[in-house]
Amino acid sequence: MMTTTLDTNAGTTAAALRNLYVVRFGFALIWAALLFLTGPAPGPVSVALLVIYPLFDVAAAIIDLRSSKTARPTAALYVNLALSLLTAVGLAATAASSVPGVLRVWGAWAITAGIVQLIVAVSRRRLGGQWAMILSGAISTIAGAAFILQAGTPTASLTSLAGYATVGGVFFLISALRLHRTAKSA
């Protein structure tokens, strides 16, 4: 009886995460396309998009916290929630004034959120589909450092963030596809 309950909870968690990851994939692609279309310098639309992205991450963390039945790394998810809120505030403060400022804030967020994503994915590895999230977290930390370095160059551009979001979205899709198998088998 205990094993059945655990299997059911794992299946419920896998299904919830799968659905969340599919939504995150779609959001990332749409967001990236819109940011790319706004161009390399900040304008009113790109500023709004820059603030919306971490706020969407906050919403996703809340949904994750509420829907996961097993493998709930709640402390890490709360850290991610706080980091994303701080990032939204930081981006709102810097987005209208400077591309380098945006890249530094985004880079710091990518590094810290990538570390948190690694922690969450490793703690959920038994659910399946987490290797993509582990890889995504590692790439996010590297990309964050690259954004900070890019901020000091004359080629600093917001469009590089669109590529970052697209790659992250693809990792969410891969993980969702893998979690679909777990949800079906449980």
Side-chain angles (χ1 to χ4, degrees):
M1 183 72 145
M2 182 81 148
T3 304
T4 305
T5 303
L6 290 175
D7 289 346
T8 303
N9 284 342
T12 302
T13 298
L17 288 175
R18 176 200 60 213
N19 295 341
L20 178 61
Y21 290 177
V22 167
V23 170
R24 292 191 75 161
F25 163 73
F27 175 82
L29 288 186
I30 292 167
W31 182 90
L34 292 173
L35 186 68
F36 186 78
L37 291 172
T38 64
V45 174
S46 61
V47 170
L49 287 168
L50 290 168
V51 174
I52 287 170
Y53 197 95
L55 292 177
F56 182 83
D57 199 56
V58 167
I62 291 169
I63 292 167
D64 191 335
L65 282 164
R66 290 184 178 173
S67 63
S68 296
K69 303 293 183 206
T70 60
R72 282 177 62 167
T74 54
L77 289 172
Y78 281 116
V79 167
N80 184 56
L81 206 148
L83 288 170
S84 295
L85 279 173
L86 287 171
T87 300
V89 170
L91 289 170
T94 61
S97 62
S98 86
V99 171
V102 167
L103 291 174
R104 287 183 186 101
V105 171
W106 196 282
W109 180 44
I111 291 168
T112 56
I115 291 167
V116 171
Q117 186 176 18
L118 279 166
I119 292 166
V120 171
V122 167
S123 72
R124 289 180 169 163
R125 69 189 175 282
R126 291 188 178 142
L127 282 176
Q130 294 304 299
W131 66 268
M133 293 293 92
I134 291 168
L135 187 56
S136 178
I139 290 171
S140 184
T141 59
I142 294 166
F147 292 137
I148 291 170
L149 292 172
Q150 182 192 11
T153 69
T155 61
S157 167
L158 295 181
T159 55
S160 60
L161 301 178
Y164 169 79
T166 302
V167 170
V170 169
F171 280 112
F172 276 114
L173 179 62
I174 291 167
S175 192
L177 294 172
R178 300 290 299 175
L179 285 168
H180 181 70
R181 292 181 192 167
T182 302
K184 281 178 56 176
S185 67

